[in-house]
Amino acid sequence: MHSYALAVPGFWFFGSLCLNPKMMHRPPPPDDFALKETSPHLGGGKVSGDKLTSTYDLVEQMQYLYVRVVKAKDLPGKDVTGSCDPYVEVKLGNYLGKTRVFEKKTNPEWNQVFAFSKDRLQASVLEVTVKDKDVVKDDFIGRVFFDLNEIPKRVPPDSPLAPQWYRLEDRQGNKAKGELMLAVWMGTQADEAFPEAWHSDAAVVSGADGLANIRSKVYLSPKLWYLRVNVIEAQDLLPGDKGRYPEVFVRAILGSQALRTRVSLARGINPMWNEDLMFVAAEPFEEPLILSVEDRVAPNKDEVLGKCAIPLQYVDRRLDHKPVNSRWFNLEKHVIVEGEKKKETKFSSRIHMRICLEGGYHVLDESTHYSSDLRPTAKQLWKSSIGVLELGILNAQGLMPMKTKDGRGTTDAYCVAKYGQKWVRTRTIIDSFSPKWNEQYTWEVFDPCTVITIGVFDNWHLHGGDKAAGAKDSKIGKVRIRLSTLETDRVYTHSYPLLVLHSNGVKKMGEIHLAVRFTCSSLLNMMHMYSHPLLPKMHYLHPLTVSQLDSLRHQATQIVSMRLGRAEPPLRKEVVEYMLDVGSHMWSMRRSKANFFRIMNVLGGLIAVGKWFDQICNWKNPITTVLIHILFIILVLYPELILPTIFLYLFLIGVWYYRWRPRHPPHMDTRLSHADSSHPDELDEEFDTFPTSRPSDVVRMRYDRLRSIAGRIQTVVGDLATQGERLQSLLSWRDPRATALFVIFCLVAAIVLYVTPFQVVALLAGFYILRHPRFRHKLPSVPLNFFRRLPARTDSML
């Protein structure tokens, strides 16, 4: 193999993996996929990048007409029985909102709020009508009119407008029997009534479930714990077949999680394991830990020797690495379910275990590369917050139609933002490709090296009921913002492209307009955070294995998605999994190539330095080479200047690059992700199910391709192993002549270096390396020839 391939095998793999030799010099992504800085009118005024001071200052003000229908009294009876089933209609132009109906009640209390967007007002008069629900036709009871020009304005923190009693009028404008208590005012989305109000743009939504699914909501992730079950031993087991040595293991089940120990090496009725099993548990603890001791009596047949159920509410909680006390638990033939009678009494078998809830770990439900929370589970171990993150979700532009309704494309978009344990969901804007949310949210920040994720989705559950039960909300795109890349106290207003990778390529689904501000309460505390470990100390004192972390993260995401899916309105499983990047660990040719080119980009600086040094050694620029000789002589004669020179050089580079520092947050990069140049078959493979659902010939082709790539990687790994084994063989006497030469050389070198000053040796070695090309040979050097002749263990490979 070529000498450069042996010296730097990554270059050979680089050439083998690339399908396109021009991929290292790819054009920049199109402007359509780029980040755009904006200047919106935040808080009623144009943002200039400085900190704003109002309470709702990161969004544009949206004016609404609010109508609070409180209650009615003394309503006349319209039915034959003299009673009425009243409800209220609030009408403004073509928009019509209705309260719920009270059966046979003349003094109903509704306390419902209606909000009409000022941008869509189509009339100058507000009409509030009280009606009696009837089978054939609803009866008119009375109404009240309001002139929009005379409605008062209210801006928080003003106190809420007190409702007043209004006498109802009949169709001719005369006084009718009954009164209605109302409050009508003009306000903004900062009003306390805004989140729970019925909105005029949601008039097409039907049913209570549908209305609940379009409202904004704040969710909290369940508090997650790692549960450590240390299975030590069991005693006095009673196997069914006493004529054989039992092969005993312990199976532990917590909800949908099931783990088991290995078969005990101590064959008998007193087996021992001393093995740890790790689970994820969520508060409130709803399910007990079920342990069963089982005997493998046949390859596919296990006999239960005993069971026990342990409620997690009574399990010890550990905050540090100190071991908790172990306990003996009695084993029963049957675990008693609530309401079930006990079938057998306890017998003498028991199991010895050490069980604890680990509060010193952070339960990973996100990838560590873009985690939004790194705190331990136990609140006692939390540090104080270092700042506040504020997010203004302004609007979206150019969204693609996500579904068809009445023969035309439509989109009902909402946003979800996740940081730490707090999830927020904006209201759903009905049938709009340019929705305006203008909602602002706040999070406490405990670590600057964290990431906030914002996703946009299309709502498929507007009408509730069974029809929407099986539907899934469609993903439109998401944005990640790392807090450490933001300057403190600066308002960032940008329009982010919403990019989604489909099996037919990357597609821009629109743009989302965000305003972000990271406010630091103590700059010193934040700087001090950079010296702390990224994860809590238990991750380093008692680290979990990679396979354990992968399994526990999968279980954590399942628990979070299940718990949030049970909220009202639910944050659905497909939304939670998309925000948490579930499935990102699956094989992808595109992602593998992207990661390889990231490595090559990182090594690009070292490669450039190597090329520059090669030019110096070959005297391509004699002046530069002479200057390097002078610098080398100074550093050898004054070695105490080496480290100061290096750090001063790095300081000057950092100061020089400050002029070109990034002025905007990073965003999804299609070129870095290789999303815009992947082969269609690679994308189809990435979106394939697991296990595969593709035809056998396609699977065979992909398997052969994977074998080809794996063969190249295997060769590179073998070459690296060969170089390491040659180093080991220098002193192993595998080649007695080579080892003898190396040992004699080491003796001579030790004597020479002992009697010769180090500076002289360094100068001679440096001058030899930097010698003029006329003193060089094109043949490999003697040390390289000697190293390549050393034996490796490749001869022993089958």
Side-chain angles (χ1 to χ4, degrees):
M1 188 178 287
H2 197 273
S3 61
Y4 291 108
L6 284 171
V8 191
F11 278 107
W12 180 73
F13 176 57
F14 166 88
S16 302
L17 185 63
C18 294
L19 299 179
N20 183 0
K22 298 181 180 179
M23 295 181 82
M24 282 295 289
H25 305 284
R26 299 152 58 81
D31 294 337
D32 203 31
F33 292 170
L35 192 68
K36 300 173 185 175
E37 191 166 4
T38 60
S39 299
H41 290 264
L42 301 184
K46 193 172 184 180
V47 61
S48 59
D50 298 328
K51 183 178 178 180
L52 301 172
T53 56
S54 63
T55 56
Y56 228 67
D57 57 359
L58 289 186
V59 293
E60 297 176 314
Q61 284 191 359
M62 300 176 68
Q63 300 292 326
Y64 285 89
L65 169 65
Y66 289 97
V67 181
R68 180 184 294 277
V69 181
V70 184
K71 57 184 176 179
K73 67 179 180 179
D74 302 332
L75 297 180
K78 293 291 183 177
D79 297 340
V80 178
T81 59
S83 63
C84 67
D85 305 326
Y87 69 94
V88 177
E89 281 186 357
V90 182
K91 186 177 181 182
L92 183 63
N94 293 330
Y95 293 111
L96 180 67
K98 295 182 181 180
T99 66
R100 59 187 177 275
V101 179
F102 284 101
E103 293 185 0
K104 298 180 180 181
K105 199 168 186 179
T106 57
N107 298 309
E109 291 189 15
W110 293 284
N111 199 27
Q112 289 182 241
V113 182
F114 299 83
F116 299 88
S117 175
K118 187 178 180 182
D119 296 338
R120 299 187 181 184
L121 296 184
Q122 301 170 335
S124 59
V125 175
L126 171 68
E127 180 181 352
V128 183
T129 306
V130 182
K131 291 187 176 182
D132 174 33
K133 187 71 175 177
D134 209 342
V135 178
V136 181
K137 183 180 180 182
D138 297 346
D139 296 322
F140 175 87
I141 296 178
R143 62 186 175 187
V144 181
F145 289 103
F146 294 90
D147 188 346
L148 297 189
N149 296 322
E150 299 177 0
I151 292 177
K153 291 185 178 180
R154 182 205 170 221
V155 179
D158 293 350
S159 299
L161 193 67
Q164 300 180 24
W165 286 104
Y166 293 89
R167 171 70 69 177
L168 296 178
E169 299 177 354
D170 58 17
R171 297 185 187 278
Q172 288 74 35
N174 300 320
K175 289 185 179 181
K177 187 178 180 181
E179 293 181 80
L180 183 64
M181 180 178 277
L182 296 170
V184 183
W185 72 96
M186 295 293 297
T188 66
Q189 76 270 34
D191 203 290
E192 295 88 348
F194 180 80
E196 298 300 323
W198 174 93
H199 290 268
S200 56
D201 55 1
V204 298
V205 179
S206 61
D209 292 342
L211 287 173
N213 280 320
I214 67 171
R215 287 177 174 162
S216 57
K217 188 78 173 179
V218 176
Y219 306 84
L220 288 178
S221 293
K223 188 175 184 180
L224 301 178
W225 295 78
Y226 282 147
L227 175 67
R228 186 187 297 272
V229 181
N230 178 226
V231 184
I232 302 174
E233 58 180 329
Q235 285 187 355
D236 303 328
L237 299 180
L238 299 177
D241 183 3
K242 296 182 180 180
R244 54 178 288 275
Y245 286 108
E247 299 179 14
V248 184
F249 64 91
V250 176
R251 190 189 307 274
I253 300 175
L254 180 63
S256 61
Q257 308 170 66
L259 296 175
R260 48 159 290 179
T261 65
R262 67 184 186 278
V263 174
S264 174
L265 299 178
R267 301 290 180 89
I269 61 173
N270 299 315
M272 299 184 66
W273 297 277
N274 196 22
E275 188 173 342
D276 278 354
L277 303 177
M278 296 290 292
F279 297 89
V280 178
E283 289 187 5
F285 303 121
E286 299 175 345
E287 297 169 321
L289 174 68
I290 306 293
L291 291 120
S292 63
V293 180
E294 303 181 16
D295 177 17
R296 176 164 293 172
V297 295
N300 294 316
K301 184 180 179 182
D302 301 323
E303 177 189 357
V304 177
L305 304 181
K307 287 186 177 184
C308 67
I310 303 171
L312 299 187
Q313 293 90 332
Y314 309 113
V315 171
D316 294 333
R317 303 187 179 192
R318 185 170 75 163
L319 306 183
D320 51 24
H321 60 281
K322 297 178 181 178
V324 298
N325 295 326
S326 60
R327 290 179 56 191
W328 287 94
F329 295 89
N330 291 321
L331 295 173
E332 304 174 7
K333 278 293 185 182
H334 299 277
V335 174
I336 306 304
V337 183
E338 187 176 353
E340 180 182 318
K341 290 186 178 180
K342 198 171 183 178
K343 295 181 180 178
E344 292 189 21
T345 58
K346 294 180 180 179
F347 62 99
S348 58
S349 296
R350 56 182 187 160
I351 186 170
H352 189 200
M353 293 185 296
R354 183 180 287 111
I355 305 177
C356 65
L357 290 164
E358 298 279 11
Y361 288 91
H362 169 68
V363 180
L364 294 166
D365 58 349
E366 307 167 286
S367 170
T368 52
H369 298 299
Y370 27 81
S371 181
S372 63
D373 189 12
L374 301 169
R375 294 171 293 171
T377 299
K379 199 168 184 178
Q380 303 94 304
L381 302 178
W382 290 4
K383 308 291 185 182
S384 58
S385 65
I386 61 169
V388 173
L389 172 66
E390 298 167 275
L391 172 68
I393 304 175
L394 303 178
N395 54 64
Q397 297 289 334
L399 297 185
M400 303 293 291
M402 301 301 295
K403 55 180 175 284
T404 303
K405 181 181 178 182
D406 299 331
R408 63 182 182 86
T410 181
T411 298
D412 307 312
Y414 67 92
C415 286
V416 174
K418 197 263 183 195
Y419 183 78
Q421 294 182 336
K422 180 178 174 182
W423 299 65
V424 299
R425 168 179 172 160
T426 68
R427 69 191 189 282
T428 299
I429 305 299
I430 309 298
D431 192 13
S432 175
F433 299 135
S434 302
K436 292 183 179 181
W437 295 285
N438 285 303
E439 298 183 27
Q440 184 170 339
Y441 298 96
T442 304
W443 289 268
E444 275 191 303
V445 177
F446 294 86
D447 194 315
C449 302
T450 47
V451 176
I452 182 173
T453 305
I454 304 102
V456 185
F457 301 89
D458 178 51
N459 196 334
W460 282 69
H461 300 82
L462 297 183
H463 303 289
D466 296 334
K467 183 178 180 181
K472 291 186 177 182
D473 291 351
S474 303
K475 57 188 180 185
I476 299 178
K478 70 181 169 187
V479 174
R480 297 192 198 101
I481 302 175
R482 183 171 292 274
L483 271 59
S484 60
T485 63
L486 305 178
E487 298 176 12
T488 55
D489 298 328
R490 177 187 167 190
V491 179
Y492 289 83
T493 54
H494 290 87
S495 186
Y496 295 81
L498 295 171
L499 306 176
V500 174
L501 189 65
H502 296 283
S503 57
N504 55 356
V506 66
K507 189 174 184 181
K508 181 179 178 181
M509 309 298 290
E511 297 180 357
I512 183 171
H513 194 187
L514 302 175
V516 183
R517 178 172 61 219
F518 174 37
T519 306
C520 176
S521 56
S522 173
L523 183 61
L524 188 62
N525 287 344
M526 186 172 69
M527 294 297 189
H528 185 54
M529 286 296 300
Y530 282 85
S531 65
H532 289 186
L534 192 64
L535 293 169
K537 64 180 182 180
M538 283 294 288
H539 286 269
Y540 307 98
L541 297 178
H542 290 279
L544 303 173
T545 64
V546 175
S547 59
Q548 278 182 319
L549 288 174
D550 287 341
S551 174
L552 292 171
R553 185 196 168 200
H554 173 72
Q555 296 299 336
T557 55
Q558 293 298 312
I559 292 174
V560 171
S561 62
M562 181 186 67
R563 290 289 180 92
L564 294 179
R566 286 158 47 184
E568 285 295 336
L571 199 60
R572 304 187 181 277
K573 181 179 180 180
E574 63 271 15
V575 174
V576 176
E577 291 185 347
Y578 181 62
M579 296 289 288
L580 296 179
D581 276 298
V582 174
S584 60
H585 63 284
M586 298 296 289
W587 161 257
S588 165
M589 175 72 80
R590 173 193 62 83
R591 196 177 289 115
S592 300
K593 287 196 293 185
N595 289 334
F596 176 77
F597 280 106
R598 287 173 58 201
I599 293 176
M600 294 307 301
N601 189 44
V602 170
L603 298 178
L606 297 176
I607 296 171
V609 170
K611 291 181 178 179
W612 172 79
F613 187 72
D614 185 66
Q615 293 176 354
I616 296 296
C617 294
N618 287 285
W619 292 70
K620 297 291 184 182
N621 189 334
I623 298 177
T624 304
T625 303
V626 170
L627 292 175
I628 292 298
H629 276 77
I630 296 173
L631 177 62
F632 173 70
I633 294 172
I634 294 174
L635 293 179
V636 170
L637 296 178
Y638 303 96
E640 64 274 10
L641 296 179
I642 295 177
L643 289 179
T645 302
I646 292 174
F647 286 111
L648 179 62
Y649 180 65
L650 295 175
F651 168 77
L652 294 175
I653 291 177
V655 172
W656 179 256
Y657 282 162
Y658 181 78
R659 297 171 55 190
W660 296 283
R661 67 190 184 279
R663 300 295 296 171
H664 55 76
H667 65 291
M668 302 293 184
D669 190 337
T670 56
R671 184 174 63 87
L672 178 69
S673 308
H674 280 246
D676 55 352
S677 62
S678 295
H679 192 274
D681 182 70
E682 296 175 3
L683 296 177
D684 183 70
E685 180 184 22
E686 184 172 344
F687 284 90
D688 191 8
T689 57
F690 188 85
T692 182
S693 58
R694 298 296 185 264
S696 58
D697 55 338
V698 174
V699 176
R700 186 181 299 109
M701 181 270 294
R702 291 173 180 171
Y703 175 65
D704 291 340
R705 180 178 63 194
L706 193 60
R707 288 179 63 193
S708 175
I709 295 173
R712 298 168 188 170
I713 298 175
Q714 171 185 285
T715 304
V716 172
V717 173
D719 289 342
L720 292 174
T722 299
Q723 313 308 320
E725 289 168 353
R726 285 172 176 170
L727 283 174
Q728 292 177 339
S729 66
L730 285 172
L731 296 172
S732 68
W733 294 93
R734 171 61 61 183
D735 184 342
R737 286 165 293 277
T739 302
L741 287 172
F742 180 71
V743 169
I744 294 171
F745 168 78
C746 289
L747 177 63
V748 174
I751 296 172
V752 171
L753 292 175
Y754 181 76
V755 300
T756 309
F758 175 77
Q759 292 173 326
V760 174
V761 176
L763 281 174
L764 292 175
F767 287 146
Y768 176 77
I769 294 173
L770 296 172
R771 66 192 184 279
H772 197 273
R774 71 175 58 185
F775 301 112
R776 295 177 183 272
H777 299 285
K778 292 185 179 181
L779 297 177
S781 62
V782 172
L784 187 58
N785 291 333
F786 177 77
F787 182 76
R788 288 179 178 170
R789 291 179 177 276
L790 292 173
R793 304 187 67 183
T794 51
D795 307 334
S796 304
M797 291 281 292
L798 289 175

